[in-house]
Amino acid sequence: MLALALGVFATSCGRGDTDVSRAGALCGVPGLSGTVSGLVPGAISGCGVERAVRLEAVHGVRLSQPATLDCPTARSLGRWVRKSAQPEVGRMGGGLAGLRVPAHYACRSRNHQSGARISEHGKGRAIDIAALQLRDGSEISVLDDWGKGQKGRILRRVHRDACGPFGTVLGPESDRYHRDHFHFDTARHRGGPYCR
């Protein structure tokens, strides 16, 4: 009876069993934690998420704020955390505890520029990461640590490793809009991932 009720709930939110597994894992991936949001309508044409989730943690790594994303983006973040961010941080500061997230879903144009195309943020396909938060309370900050010592080397490697799981990866060397964070999105480009 409970399984039937969960199936009805998942279907009513626009979810199929590829998005919510039998074990209750978010987006069918054990280790992704949060809730199913369903349809998130956009305030302007081109915005909105048909099948949104509210992601709160990835493989035990907490997000500083819950992120509204589609499942492909949540799964890409999960792969990046598990295969790059956690191993690269290693035991520094007791290990990776969280991700400081300054932006996720927002119905807006690219870089908030008037007349620009709708950002991938406006489609639930993007997340910004400003820092890797460590268990001892310290951070590896994109703004403060990029290009500096061991923390800077970790940031360069996790930035590089995001290219592939994500279709677009932008950081401090891409443009002035990304000097203080990484932008990851799951847009697909004809020539392969766009990483700067």
Side-chain angles (χ1 to χ4, degrees):
M1 184 62 111
L2 178 61
L4 177 62
L6 286 173
V8 169
F9 172 73
T11 303
S12 70
C13 289
R15 291 288 181 278
D17 47 6
T18 58
D19 294 319
V20 181
S21 77
R22 289 187 300 271
L26 198 65
C27 298
V29 178
L32 298 186
S33 304
T35 57
V36 174
S37 302
L39 176 66
V40 175
I44 60 174
S45 178
C47 283
V49 189
E50 187 177 334
R51 295 182 174 97
V53 295
R54 190 171 184 263
L55 187 65
E56 297 174 7
V58 181
H59 303 295
V61 175
R62 302 288 304 169
L63 277 58
S64 61
Q65 61 173 310
T68 297
L69 303 167
D70 66 6
C71 275
T73 306
R75 287 191 286 260
S76 291
L77 186 66
R79 283 192 297 278
W80 174 76
V81 164
R82 189 169 36 83
K83 294 184 176 182
S84 180
Q86 285 177 320
E88 289 295 346
V89 168
R91 294 186 197 155
M92 178 183 279
L96 184 62
L99 300 174
R100 183 152 47 91
V101 177
H104 50 99
Y105 175 76
C107 185
R108 63 171 177 81
S109 61
R110 289 183 185 172
N111 301 317
H112 300 279
Q113 298 301 299
S114 180
R117 289 177 151 175
I118 295 295
S119 169
E120 294 301 306
H121 285 284
K123 302 170 189 176
R125 297 184 205 154
I127 189 166
D128 291 347
I129 307 295
L132 307 176
Q133 300 172 316
L134 308 183
R135 295 196 185 284
D136 67 2
S138 65
E139 288 188 334
I140 302 174
S141 162
V142 174
L143 179 62
D144 296 334
D145 298 315
W146 182 260
K148 298 176 186 171
Q150 183 182 7
K151 289 183 175 182
R153 289 189 293 276
I154 290 170
L155 288 171
R156 279 202 185 270
R157 289 191 296 264
V158 299
H159 176 269
R160 176 202 65 210
D161 294 345
C163 193
F166 293 96
T168 308
V169 175
L170 303 174
E173 295 175 7
S174 65
D175 58 42
R176 64 188 174 95
Y177 300 108
H178 299 92
R179 64 186 184 82
D180 62 353
H181 69 276
F182 296 148
H183 167 92
F184 299 155
D185 74 49
T186 52
R188 294 297 166 212
H189 307 283
R190 284 186 201 143
Y194 180 86
C195 305
R196 299 287 182 270

